């Protein structure tokens, strides 16, 4: 009897171990700077299609990338999903290109020799409420440096927000003159009023806390579709349409599942739904402007913005960094 009980106990232990191993093979852990209305529908669909169980940790792009660097290859995450690719590129050493994933169907304009891949194209725009501004609105970046809009510009802290860093780099690409002077003039015009995250910009303008704001086109389009009274302005000098990206961690514990998720979000099926479902622009060849007017673009060097990220942010802090 004792030997039978021992055999049954051993069999139960083996079954539990086998189940745990099987469950581990079906896991995926993601760091994401996306909002839930972007990542959750995609994760739900991916789980339903594959049976993979996804866990998520959220935060700002800069916050998560700093965390990845501090973990120094020992991250518990398999993927970084979200964040401007110039920010991802600055941390490229912590990522590796996923096996079994091809970039052949993606627009070459969004590709560099890096371990990350683009997910969606995201123009930076200006927003305003003309009913609060007496019908006035800034036409572009240069006007945001004038006294007319001082203290009335909603802008998220670029030390936290990847899209705000992209906005600063875009402004430098669009405007002539010394970088430090441009950053100093813009910082001065913020009058010490910095928001904690890019997701706060549209709401702050809609409430009338600010008259204008700088944000992603996607964020503004989503708010407008929900009935928010704001207007999009594509800057006269041109803007950037830097993609946000997705990258597999170097030494990921679940590389096959990470690669499967990347193939899923870069599939034609998902990419064709970006505009109608997620208010974004596709990175597939030939689909950039589908369903939306394409803004005028500046010559934006993603690699330059990546390699000079720390320097630009130091200039920003030296200029006042939005504080008085």
């Amino acid at each position: 009897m004792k030997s039978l009980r021992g055999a049954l106990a051993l069999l139960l232990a083996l079954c539990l171990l086998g189940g745990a191993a099987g469950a581990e093979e079906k896991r995926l852990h993601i760091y994401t700077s996306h909002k839930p209305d972007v990542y959750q529908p995609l994760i739900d669909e991916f789980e339903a299609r594959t049976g993979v169980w996804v866990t998520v940790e959220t935060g700002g792009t800069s916050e998560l990338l700093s965390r990845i660097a501090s973990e120094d290859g020992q991250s518990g995450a398999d993927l970084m999903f979200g964040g401007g690719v110039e920010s991802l590129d600055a941390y490229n050493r912590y990522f590796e290109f996923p096996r079994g994933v091809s970039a052949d169907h993606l627009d070459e304009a969004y590709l560099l020799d890096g371990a990350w891949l683009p997910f969606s194209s995201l123009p930076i725009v200006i927003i305003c409420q003309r009913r609060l501004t007496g019908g006035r609105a800034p036409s572009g970046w240069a006007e945001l440096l004038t006294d007319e809009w001082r203290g009335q510009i909603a802008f998220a802290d670029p030390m936290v927000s990847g899209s705000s860093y992209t906005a600063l780099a875009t402004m430098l690409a669009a405007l002539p003159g010394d970088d430090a002077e441009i950053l100093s003039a813009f910082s001065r015009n913020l009058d010490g009023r910095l928001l904690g995250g890019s997701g706060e910009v549209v709401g702050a303008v809609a409430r009338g806390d600010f008259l204008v704001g700088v944000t992603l086109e996607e964020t503004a389009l989503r708010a407008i579709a929900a009935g928010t009274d704001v207007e999009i302005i594509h800057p006269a000098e041109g803007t950037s349409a830097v993609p946000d990206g997705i990258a597999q961690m170097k030494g990921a514990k679940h590389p096959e599942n990470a690669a499967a998720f990347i193939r899923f979000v870069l599939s034609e099926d998902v990419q064709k739904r970006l505009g109608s479902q997620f208010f974004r622009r596709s990175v597939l060849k030939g689909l950039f402007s589908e369903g939306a007017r394409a803004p005028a673009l500046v010559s934006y060097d993603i690699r330059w913005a990546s390699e000079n990220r720390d320097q630009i942010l130091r200039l920003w802090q030296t200029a006042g960094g939005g504080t008085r």
Side-chain angles (χ1 to χ4, degrees):
M1 181 67 77
K2 287 183 179 180
S3 62
L4 178 59
R5 285 200 299 269
L8 288 173
L10 177 61
L11 179 61
L12 178 60
L14 290 173
C15 288
L16 289 172
L17 285 172
E24 186 63 28
E25 291 173 1
K26 284 291 187 178
R27 289 178 183 267
L28 179 65
H29 190 62
I30 295 177
Y31 286 173
T32 183
S33 55
H34 286 306
K35 302 297 184 292
D37 48 13
V38 174
Y39 73 74
Q40 198 61 60
L42 293 173
I43 286 174
D44 290 345
E45 185 175 344
F46 176 74
E47 287 180 326
R49 289 190 185 192
T50 64
V52 172
W53 177 29
V54 181
T55 55
V56 177
E57 291 187 62
T58 63
T61 298
S62 298
E63 172 191 0
L64 290 172
L65 290 174
S66 294
R67 178 176 173 181
I68 289 168
S70 70
E71 291 166 340
D72 196 22
Q74 302 301 313
S75 174
D78 301 296
L79 285 174
M80 173 66 185
F81 184 31
V85 294
E86 78 273 57
S87 295
L88 297 185
D89 197 64
Y91 288 78
N92 196 58
R93 63 189 177 280
Y94 299 106
F95 306 126
E96 60 185 353
F97 199 89
R99 291 185 179 181
V101 173
S102 173
D104 291 346
H105 61 311
L106 304 181
D107 192 321
E108 292 87 350
Y110 304 126
L111 299 175
L112 291 177
D113 184 21
W116 50 266
L117 286 158
F119 166 61
S120 62
S121 174
L122 297 167
I124 299 286
V125 299
I126 299 169
I127 60 171
C128 76
Q129 273 203 74
R130 288 186 190 266
R131 67 179 180 83
L132 297 179
T133 64
R136 297 174 294 110
S139 63
W141 302 115
E143 288 192 41
L144 293 184
L145 307 186
T146 65
D147 289 341
E148 181 177 7
W149 303 106
R150 182 163 184 173
Q152 295 298 332
I153 305 169
F155 191 70
D157 186 352
M159 305 301 295
V160 175
S161 167
S163 61
S164 281
Y165 169 72
T166 300
L168 290 183
T170 301
M171 196 178 302
L172 296 180
L175 296 176
D178 180 75
D179 288 354
E181 291 179 2
I182 292 169
L183 293 177
S184 180
F186 185 60
S187 173
R188 184 172 60 252
N189 260 16
L190 296 181
D191 207 19
R193 304 178 72 190
L194 271 177
L195 300 179
S198 58
E200 300 176 27
V201 172
V202 174
V205 174
R207 290 191 303 271
D209 298 341
F210 298 84
L211 297 181
V212 300
V214 179
T215 189
L216 294 171
E217 180 189 60
E218 172 255 347
T219 307
L221 286 173
R222 185 182 297 277
I224 291 169
T228 303
D229 183 19
V230 295
E231 175 185 337
I232 290 175
I233 300 161
H234 290 120
E237 303 93 342
T239 191
S240 63
V242 179
D244 62 346
I246 186 167
Q248 180 179 306
M249 302 293 185
K250 191 173 290 184
K253 294 180 181 178
H254 312 99
E256 295 85 2
N257 297 337
F261 187 80
I262 292 172
R263 286 194 298 270
F264 167 68
V265 299
L266 297 183
S267 67
E268 185 173 348
D269 172 29
V270 171
Q271 287 284 310
K272 280 188 172 180
R273 287 155 38 204
L274 285 183
S276 59
Q277 186 174 353
F278 299 104
F279 303 95
R280 293 164 173 254
R281 297 171 186 256
S282 173
V283 294
L284 292 187
K285 291 178 179 177
L287 289 180
F288 171 77
S289 60
E290 184 173 287
R293 180 174 68 86
L297 299 178
V298 297
S299 178
Y300 187 96
D301 188 331
I302 293 174
R303 180 56 50 79
W304 175 86
S306 167
E307 292 176 348
N308 290 277
R309 182 176 183 274
D310 290 344
Q311 179 182 346
I312 290 171
L313 289 177
R314 280 196 299 271
L315 281 176
W316 172 250
Q317 288 182 301
T318 300
T323 61
R324 294 181 190 275

